Structure formats: structure tokens, C-alpha cells
Amino acid sequence: MNTTEKIKVHFTDNYLINPTNPIEANIIGAGSTGSKFLTALMEMNHSLIELGHAGFSVRLWDDDRVSEANLGRQRFAECETGFYKSVALINRANRWSGTNWKAETVKFERTPLGRLPEHASATLFISCVDNVKARFEIAEILKELTNGRLYHNQPKYWMDLGNSQHTGQVILSTIGEIRQPNSEKYETTAHLPFVTEEFGELLRTSETDDNTPSCSLAEALEKQDLYINSTLAQMGCSLLWNLFRNGMTENRGFFLNLKDFRSQPLKV
């Protein structure tokens, strides 16, 4: 009798592998991590299209404007000071790659009347926000989106990226359950829990919740070291890339400590 334990994996939703139209993605946050993630996603979009895939249709959400403290650590030039971050980044992305991606100059949150934000629905959500409260609000919005009868842009995945000065984490979650194929080789997992459900307490204790604007680059670097955000963005995009290229994953994220160069994968 074979007692070998099967490897747990999650198979990518079929729609992401063979979409008829570009996959709609909401990137929430255009700061230190979000600006780097957008750049990496441009590379992935081009590569997927070259491989016969439909690519992405991205909407970037952020109500913040570029300040002098953002220059150097975020993807902004001096001439963009005062512009909305989302507009500056999306304009540059569209000019660079010929895409028609969109910028939203508001936060991804409910309206004052409690309604969902306009254009909230998408297949893929990537959150690069700097406070815990925003993550829990995103989780509530995603739950409500799945309750609606959406046939177009059915929400499938949420990837959350968060960090403190030297450490960070990327967590991939399914929005609801993703139908899995029958497999004799692997133990398949249809549901990957939200970061707010599985690591709510960790988020509250390990992540800095000081999202007050920094007055200078030196002050900003006291909160987040120079390369923590770009490292998280690159590794997070690598996880996303593997979902598309391999059609499955054994890992649903990782924990990173850049101070001593350690990375710990989070298994499915």
C-alpha cells in the first residue's frame, strides 16, 4: 500500500489560463510597492501576449499625490511632483507599452453612502496598502462582490503585499472556491483563505500602521528600507507568473526578511 503523502497544490482557475479578453486586474495602492508592482506587471503583460495570452487590463487605485519624499524610493520623477500617483504611473505605462490601462484617483473603499466603489469588479485584485484597516475593508468589499450575480469579471484571486521596515509578506487568496480538477498525483485545494482571516492578528502586530506622509526620503527610509518594496513586488509577480505559466502552485505566498536575506514559502 502506497502511504506517500500527496503534495498539496492549487490549480489555477481556467479563465486565467485561457481568457477570451484581457484579465481585468485592480491594483490598490500606487506607492512604494504598488508602483513597482505595476512595472513588473507591464513586463508580465507583454510576455503573456507574446505567448498568445490575452494579457491584462489594469485599473490602478490611489488618491495620493506625488511628493518630494516619494522620489527615489517610488517610481516617480521630479517632474511628476504634485500629480496623482495613479495618473502618473498609468500614463507612463500606457505610453511605454501601448496599453489602455486606467487610473482611479480615489481610494478603493465604499462611498459615503455605503455603496461599492464604481468599477470595483475585476478578476484579480492586488493590494499594496500601508495600513491594516484598508485590508479589512478590501476583504469586506470582495465578499460583497462575490454575493452579486456577476457573470463578467467574476472575482477569482486576491494577492496582498505588506511590509514593515525590513520584513514583509505576500499572501495569495481565492475569492470563494476555485473548481479543481481530479488528480491522482496531487491533493488539490480549492480555497485559499483571505489574509485577514488567517493572519489578522499577525497583520495587526507585525506591520507598521503609521501611514502619515513622510516629509523627506530620509524619514521615509526609517519606516521602510530602500529595497523591501521592490523585492516584495518582484517575488509577488513571480508567484503570479507561475500561476499563469505552470497552471498550478505549491506555494500561496511567502514571508521575507530582507535584513538577513531569508525567505520562507507559505505552502498551500
Side-chain angles (χ1 to χ4, degrees), residues 9 45 65 75 105 115 127 137 151 196 207 216 234 237:
V9 301
N45 180 64
R65 293 178 184 268
R75 283 277 192 270
T105 57
R115 297 194 183 100
S127 54
E137 178 142 17
Y151 297 99
T196 49
E207 179 188 46
S216 67
Q234 290 289 321
C237 270

Side-chain angles (χ1 to χ4, degrees), residues 79-149:
C79 62
E80 293 170 324
T81 304
F83 287 22
Y84 279 108
K85 290 181 177 180
S86 57
V87 172
L89 289 166
I90 289 295
N91 283 346
R92 205 179 325 141
N94 288 340
R95 286 197 302 270
W96 179 269
S97 54
T99 47
N100 188 30
W101 293 357
K102 306 295 183 185
E104 295 285 345
T105 57
V106 296
K107 289 182 179 178
F108 188 82
E109 62 183 11
R110 294 180 189 277
T111 68
L113 296 175
R115 297 194 183 100
L116 294 178
E118 195 174 359
H119 308 301
S121 188
T123 300
L124 180 64
F125 294 80
I126 299 113
S127 54
C128 308
V129 295
D130 55 10
N131 65 84
V132 172
K133 181 174 176 284
R135 285 181 172 79
F136 281 92
E137 178 142 17
I138 290 167
E140 291 305 312
I141 290 173
L142 295 185
K143 288 174 186 174
E144 189 164 334
L145 284 173
T146 56
N147 291 336
R149 299 188 59 167

Side-chain angles (χ1 to χ4, degrees), residues 146-158:
T146 56
N147 291 336
R149 299 188 59 167
L150 293 169
Y151 297 99
H152 175 59
N153 292 346
Q154 186 70 36
K156 301 286 187 183
Y157 292 98
W158 174 23

Side-chain angles (χ1 to χ4, degrees), residues 42-95:
M42 285 168 52
E43 299 167 356
M44 195 188 308
N45 180 64
H46 179 83
S47 300
L48 285 172
I49 290 171
E50 288 294 305
L51 293 167
H53 191 276
F56 296 107
S57 174
V58 174
R59 193 174 291 271
L60 179 63
W61 299 73
D62 202 308
D63 68 334
D64 198 12
R65 293 178 184 268
V66 180
S67 70
E68 284 191 19
N70 301 144
L71 308 182
R73 200 170 55 89
Q74 301 182 15
R75 283 277 192 270
F76 301 108
E78 190 173 355
C79 62
E80 293 170 324
T81 304
F83 287 22
Y84 279 108
K85 290 181 177 180
S86 57
V87 172
L89 289 166
I90 289 295
N91 283 346
R92 205 179 325 141
N94 288 340
R95 286 197 302 270

Side-chain angles (χ1 to χ4, degrees), residues 180-208:
Q180 300 288 286
N182 295 325
S183 175
E184 293 184 4
K185 185 176 181 181
Y186 300 106
E187 180 183 340
T188 60
T189 304
H191 176 65
L192 306 175
F194 279 5
V195 61
T196 49
E197 296 168 354
E198 191 171 10
F199 298 105
E201 287 306 311
L202 177 68
L203 284 174
R204 291 188 182 96
T205 56
S206 70
E207 179 188 46
T208 178

Side-chain angles (χ1 to χ4, degrees), residues 4 51 134 174-175 179 181 217 240:
T4 305
L51 293 167
T174 59
I175 304 171
R179 186 176 178 182
L217 176 59
L240 196 60

